[in-house]
Amino acid sequence: MNPTGVIRTLKLGVIGTGAIGQEHIRRCNNVLQGAKVVAVSDINVEGARAALQRLNIEAEVYQDGYQVIQSPEVEAVLVTSWDPTHEQFTLAAIAAGKPVFCEKPLAMSAEGCRSVVDAEIKHGKRLVQVGFMRPYDSGYRALKKVITDGEIGEPLMLHCAHRNMAVPESYTTDMAITNTLIHELDVLRWLTDDDYKSVQVVFPRVTSKSHARLKDPQVVLFETQKGVRIDVEIFVNCSYGYDIQCEVVGETGIAKLPEPSSVQMRKEAKLSNAILVDWKDRFIDAYDVELQAFINDVKAGELTGPSAWVGFAASVAADACLKAQNSGAIEPVEMPPRPTFYNK
């Protein structure tokens, strides 16, 4: 709030106007409080203009993301562009001294993430939040509380699944890690308050719904530093819906991630619950909470959401998973000590 008593509106620039970019533009202007999008960029300028027109939003349109970052009108940046560009735009935002919300992944490798971490530490203040939305999901928060409160004792095992209805032929075996499992790599570390020690990837029989460049499904097996065993099924052509599962087996009980609410129906001699088919619907509330928190934190002058270090930790684990995909062996996950800069 400024001295006149008027609530200040945070001016945002969005780099990338694809599916998630458009979703964030919509929510920032039409759903959330205290912010508006004033500039966007996309390599398809006409597509960006058409997206803004569909959303009935007026904003400056650039072809170059660097122009968005350098615009004097833009106070904070959302990076929702093609994954391999995330690192360069995040580094540019840090260099410009502007807070940046970067969708996952922060970079395409742990080395790239570390360059962002180093740049932010050199700047001297947190400017980066990574778009891991699951810790903002009400179901995951409820599950975390059960663990933290000790209601099932210490966690011993986690059984998880990440299932998509279908993926395009451009989706490859490695993307099951970098594009899909990356969410579990973050949220399971957050749930258990633990780092990974080792990982192995095994490949069951390939589904007939897959294609030549994709081994689907995959099962990823982790051991954490505390000895917790985790198995995650990744099945991105499961055909029946978008389904996220997480079961925590503790010393004295079992806790399971709640299912999304749906109306149970008795019809045509069947008892049924609908299953979601779109990831945007499954986590729409979490996206809203996540970005509202980012807006509030920027205006308050201190970021508290998933940090560049969190993005780095997920990428370190992802790199080990990629190695395990190719070797078939149990691969170490070598996580360096966390800098004191991120201990707040």
Side-chain angles (χ1 to χ4, degrees):
M1 187 172 292
N2 65 26
T4 64
V6 177
I7 297 176
R8 182 174 73 86
T9 299
L10 182 69
K11 297 177 181 178
L12 300 172
V14 178
I15 301 173
T17 59
I20 190 64
Q22 290 181 42
E23 277 291 300
H24 286 343
I25 292 168
R26 175 195 61 79
R27 62 174 43 92
C28 286
N29 275 52
N30 301 336
V31 178
L32 308 182
Q33 297 181 339
K36 69 174 182 178
V37 174
V38 297
V40 305
S41 70
D42 199 277
I43 56 172
N44 182 355
V45 173
E46 291 308 313
R49 289 197 177 102
L52 291 176
Q53 188 172 17
R54 284 194 303 273
L55 295 168
N56 194 28
I57 291 171
E58 293 185 6
E60 193 73 34
V61 179
Y62 299 101
Q63 186 172 14
D64 186 348
Y66 296 106
Q67 292 175 296
V68 171
I69 294 168
Q70 294 301 326
S71 169
E73 287 295 303
V74 171
E75 297 173 294
V77 179
L78 308 186
V79 177
T80 57
S81 50
W82 186 42
D83 289 357
T85 66
H86 288 188
E87 178 187 347
Q88 66 195 58
F89 288 134
T90 301
L91 287 171
I94 294 171
K98 294 185 178 181
V100 53
F101 176 97
C102 180
E103 271 300 341
K104 60 80 185 170
L106 180 59
M108 298 304 291
S109 67
E111 182 182 5
C113 290
R114 189 67 202 231
S115 69
V116 174
V117 165
D118 291 343
E120 187 176 45
I121 292 174
K122 184 177 180 181
H123 177 78
K125 181 182 179 181
R126 269 202 61 189
L127 289 176
V128 180
Q129 177 169 327
V130 183
F132 288 128
M133 88 312 249
R134 290 197 190 178
Y136 294 93
D137 175 70
S138 59
Y140 273 108
R141 285 183 176 242
L143 185 57
K144 173 75 169 177
K145 188 175 188 302
V146 166
I147 297 170
T148 302
D149 290 351
E151 292 190 33
I152 58 170
E154 291 294 329
L156 307 175
M157 296 177 285
L158 277 71
H159 307 300
C160 310
H162 189 145
R163 305 182 184 118
N164 292 64
M165 264 190 93
V167 292
E169 291 211 3
S170 58
Y171 188 105
T172 54
T173 299
D174 61 308
M175 291 174 67
I177 304 299
T178 60
N179 192 266
T180 300
L181 182 72
I182 196 75
H183 285 293
E184 274 76 19
L185 292 177
D186 170 63
V187 78
L188 300 182
R189 184 173 172 269
W190 172 77
L191 271 179
T192 59
D193 191 27
D194 200 0
D195 280 321
Y196 304 111
K197 180 180 179 181
S198 66
V199 62
Q200 182 179 20
V201 180
V202 298
F203 295 97
R205 178 181 175 181
V206 176
T207 174
S208 63
K209 305 293 185 182
S210 191
H211 58 81
R213 295 193 299 151
L214 172 61
K215 293 181 181 180
D216 185 43
Q218 304 176 34
V219 179
V220 187
L221 308 170
F222 295 98
E223 182 181 6
T224 73
Q225 293 292 338
K226 296 176 184 176
V228 178
R229 293 286 183 168
I230 301 172
D231 56 86
V232 184
E233 169 203 322
I234 311 168
F235 190 8
V236 293
N237 289 287
C238 77
S239 299
Y240 70 84
Y242 180 73
D243 191 10
I244 304 298
Q245 299 290 327
C246 183
E247 181 180 83
V248 182
V249 179
E251 296 171 306
T252 59
I254 294 173
K256 191 170 183 179
L257 182 71
E259 295 284 349
S261 61
S262 65
V263 175
Q264 190 177 77
M265 295 181 64
R266 287 174 166 82
K267 184 180 179 182
E268 298 175 349
K270 295 178 182 178
L271 178 64
S272 64
N273 289 81
I275 295 175
L276 295 171
V277 298
D278 193 326
W279 54 268
K280 294 190 295 292
D281 294 334
R282 172 63 179 84
F283 289 109
I284 188 168
D285 291 338
Y287 280 114
D288 289 348
V289 175
E290 168 192 47
L291 270 175
Q292 186 66 69
F294 174 73
I295 291 165
N296 294 347
D297 283 354
V298 171
K299 294 168 76 172
E302 184 176 1
L303 296 187
T304 60
S307 66
W309 184 256
V310 169
F312 170 68
S315 194
V316 167
D319 283 0
C321 290
L322 292 174
K323 187 175 181 180
Q325 278 185 332
N326 293 315
S327 71
I330 298 173
E331 299 289 351
V333 181
E334 298 175 346
M335 189 68 189
R338 182 173 56 187
T340 56
F341 180 86
Y342 293 103
N343 284 344
K344 294 179 181 180

